Amino acid sequence: MTVTAARIRASRWPAVRPWIGLAARLGLATVWLVAGAAKVGDLAASGRAVNAYQVMPYDVATVIGAALPFVELALGLILLLGLATRLAAGVSAALLVVFVTGIVSAWSRGLAIDCGCFGSGGQLAAGQAPSYLPEILRDLGFLALAGFLLIWPRTPVSVDGWLTGEPAVEDNDE
């Protein structure tokens, strides 16, 4: 009997996929927890960072900026626990699309701002250059993690698995 390399790789995917999903879930949880924690100490600065994009009235930006760190912390906690993983991944993906769109918008309009993703953000000082491309690429990487979890939300060590009683890792003893 001949076993091809493609067949071996294909037979490993069901065993490897849940662990890749676990890494994606924990990685995305870490991103949201760090981003939310970095902003929660100064909600006014978070509002100024949202306002720097100049896409909504100041009062609306202030409210969104004040709420955003708590949304990020909640997403991080939910993903860390592995509870409603597909839903959390969908909300994550939607937020990341908004973030990428905002950065692209700021870049295309010639604004010189710090995205505020992991800190206070806002207008850059005179002479400072924004780093939009790395920020966009970083957020697209996070979006890929969320996309993976949208497709394959079942991961080991999750509340989802405990609630359903289904193993995330398939038994391949055949």
Side-chain angles (χ1 to χ4, degrees):
M1 178 174 165
T2 305
V3 178
T4 64
R7 182 176 170 165
I8 291 171
R9 281 191 299 272
S11 67
R12 287 186 186 161
W13 176 246
V16 173
R17 190 228 19 97
W19 298 104
I20 294 171
L22 177 63
R25 181 170 59 86
L26 295 179
L28 199 55
T30 301
V31 166
W32 290 129
L33 290 171
V34 170
K39 290 180 231 150
V40 80
D42 190 355
L43 298 179
S46 184
R48 286 190 302 275
V50 172
N51 189 56
Y53 286 90
Q54 301 174 14
V55 293
M56 62 189 77
Y58 179 80
D59 292 339
V60 175
T62 302
V63 170
I64 290 173
L68 188 58
F70 298 104
V71 171
E72 291 172 338
L73 288 170
L75 279 173
L77 238 123
I78 290 168
L79 285 165
L80 184 65
L81 294 172
L83 177 64
T85 302
R86 181 172 277 147
L87 176 63
V91 172
S92 295
L95 269 178
L96 288 161
V97 167
V98 168
F99 294 163
V100 169
T101 303
I103 295 167
V104 168
S105 170
W107 192 4
S108 68
R109 292 181 290 135
L111 301 178
I113 63 172
D114 174 6
C115 76
C117 299
F118 295 98
S120 59
Q123 298 290 337
L124 291 175
Q128 282 187 305
S131 58
Y132 295 127
L133 185 59
E135 292 169 355
I136 291 167
L137 294 175
R138 178 202 59 215
D139 286 355
L140 289 175
F142 298 153
L143 184 58
L145 296 178
F148 187 95
L149 292 171
L150 275 168
I151 297 168
W152 296 290
R154 298 280 299 128
T155 62
V157 194
S158 70
V159 173
D160 287 343
W162 177 73
L163 288 174
T164 63
E166 298 174 16
V169 179
E170 296 177 16
D171 188 12
N172 290 335
D173 290 337
E174 302 167 6

